[in-house]
């Protein structure tokens, strides 16, 4: 199994600024994912971040807007840049161990 | 491209009634199918997966490849089953693809 923590749990940011979300896992995992859950919507995969390689972004998501770091097998960050109100969402970190586990999410509100 | 469809946004039943949450998928190969549940103020967690063919909290789901469905069923709903349920699909070593979710409301 894997236990995932995320920081911050929530934040309110001004338009044009950036927010970096941290994801910490209690065990070493190769495959780590970042999802977005917009209000009333399902989870949409942003990118896959495997340690030792560049993140792979899904259609509609670009590195300039969502840069990701994956310095080791237990940690990753997702930055949401140049924030606009449309970025208001819950951002979830997820890892694949024996199955896919999810963090508690970071609720971002952009004013 | 793979796709997961959950046609019902909300399913409301009375306690003790049977429940069926529908899930259909589109994928040409052999996917892995899952049901995830999110209770109020809790994180998303795995409920069951088709390869284990188990019953969790009284819920079962059978993969029907002919109908490309993976419906979630429970014969007698309980109030504590009220939650958001997501059907998800995994192919190869990729991340899960989720359906839009169904909110199950079990009334007393």
């Amino acid at each position: 199994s894997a236990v995932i923590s995320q920081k911050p749990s929530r934040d309110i940011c001004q338009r044009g600024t950036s927010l970096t979300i941290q994801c910490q896992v209690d065990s070493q995992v190769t495959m780590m994912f970042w999802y977005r859950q917009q209000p009333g919507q399902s989870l949409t995969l942003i990118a896959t971040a495997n340690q030792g390689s560049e993140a792979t972004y899904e259609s509609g998501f670009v590195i300039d807007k969502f840069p990701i770091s994956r310095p080791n097998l237990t940690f990753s960050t997702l930055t949401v840049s140049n924030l606009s109100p449309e970025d208001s969402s819950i951002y979830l970190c997820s890892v694949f161990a024996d199955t896919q586990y999810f963090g508690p999410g970071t609720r971002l509100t952009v004013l | 491209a793979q796709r997961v469809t959950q046609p019902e946004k909300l399913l409301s039943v009375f306690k003790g009634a049977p429940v069926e949450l529908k899930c259909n998928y589109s994928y040409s190969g052999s996917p892995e199918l899952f049901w995830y549940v999110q209770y109020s103020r809790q994180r998303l967690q795995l409920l069951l997966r088709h390869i284990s063919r188990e019953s969790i909290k009284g819920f079962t789901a059978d993969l029907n490849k002919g109908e490309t469905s993976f419906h979630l069923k429970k014969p007698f709903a309980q109030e504590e089953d009220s939650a958001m349920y997501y059907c998800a699909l995994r192919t190869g070593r990729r991340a899960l693809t989720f359906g839009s979710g169904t909110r199950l409301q079990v009334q007393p």
Side-chain angles (χ1 to χ4, degrees):
Chain A
S1 68
V3 178
I4 305 169
S5 58
Q6 286 184 233
K7 286 183 185 178
S9 58
R10 58 178 63 222
D11 207 344
I12 301 172
C13 299
Q14 295 296 320
R15 187 192 297 252
T17 63
S18 298
L19 176 70
T20 295
I21 303 167
Q22 298 179 8
C23 175
Q24 181 75 51
V25 190
D26 70 340
S27 56
Q28 295 186 333
V29 292
T30 302
M31 301 181 74
M32 188 175 278
F33 312 103
W34 286 98
Y35 285 83
R36 180 175 72 182
Q37 187 174 24
Q38 293 180 300
Q41 305 290 319
S42 184
L43 287 79
T44 301
L45 182 65
I46 297 171
T48 300
N50 293 335
Q51 198 270 336
S53 60
E54 294 289 320
T56 303
Y57 290 82
E58 298 298 302
S59 175
F61 298 95
V62 294
I63 187 171
D64 289 348
K65 176 69 175 176
F66 299 98
I68 289 170
S69 79
R70 183 79 202 274
N72 57 52
L73 290 172
T74 63
F75 187 79
S76 177
T77 66
L78 169 74
T79 298
V80 189
S81 305
N82 190 23
L83 290 167
S84 68
E86 293 72 37
D87 295 321
S88 296
S89 287
I90 297 173
Y91 292 86
L92 295 118
C93 174
S94 177
V95 302
F96 187 81
D98 54 312
T99 187
Q100 197 161 332
Y101 296 90
F102 288 84
T106 296
R107 183 180 293 273
L108 169 62
T109 302
V110 183
L111 301 177
Chain B
Q2 58 219 38
R3 189 183 187 96
V4 179
T5 302
Q6 294 179 250
E8 303 139 330
K9 282 199 141 178
L10 172 67
L11 183 63
S12 185
V13 302
F14 287 102
K15 177 182 172 181
V19 170
E20 183 179 48
L21 286 79
K22 291 185 170 28
C23 172
N24 288 89
Y25 67 91
S26 62
Y27 179 66
S28 56
S30 295
E32 292 180 71
L33 273 297
F34 303 81
W35 277 97
Y36 277 76
V37 60
Q38 189 167 29
Y39 300 102
S40 179
R41 293 191 173 82
Q42 294 188 27
R43 71 181 67 191
L44 198 61
Q45 58 186 282
L46 177 66
L47 180 62
L48 52 80
R49 60 181 112 176
H50 88 271
I51 58 172
S52 55
R53 299 185 63 82
E54 57 196 342
S55 173
I56 304 291
K57 300 184 179 183
F59 284 98
T60 59
D62 290 317
L63 178 61
N64 185 323
K65 291 186 178 181
E67 295 182 0
T68 59
S69 69
F70 189 56
H71 303 327
L72 183 68
K73 299 177 185 179
K74 185 169 182 176
F76 307 104
Q78 303 299 313
E79 288 181 69
E80 55 266 31
D81 296 329
S82 295
M84 196 74 184
Y85 290 80
Y86 293 95
C87 184
L89 174 155
R90 184 168 188 258
T91 61
R93 291 180 59 79
R94 288 184 53 78
L96 289 168
T97 297
F98 285 87
S100 53
T102 298
R103 180 169 298 283
L104 176 62
Q105 204 172 65
V106 182
Q107 301 181 57

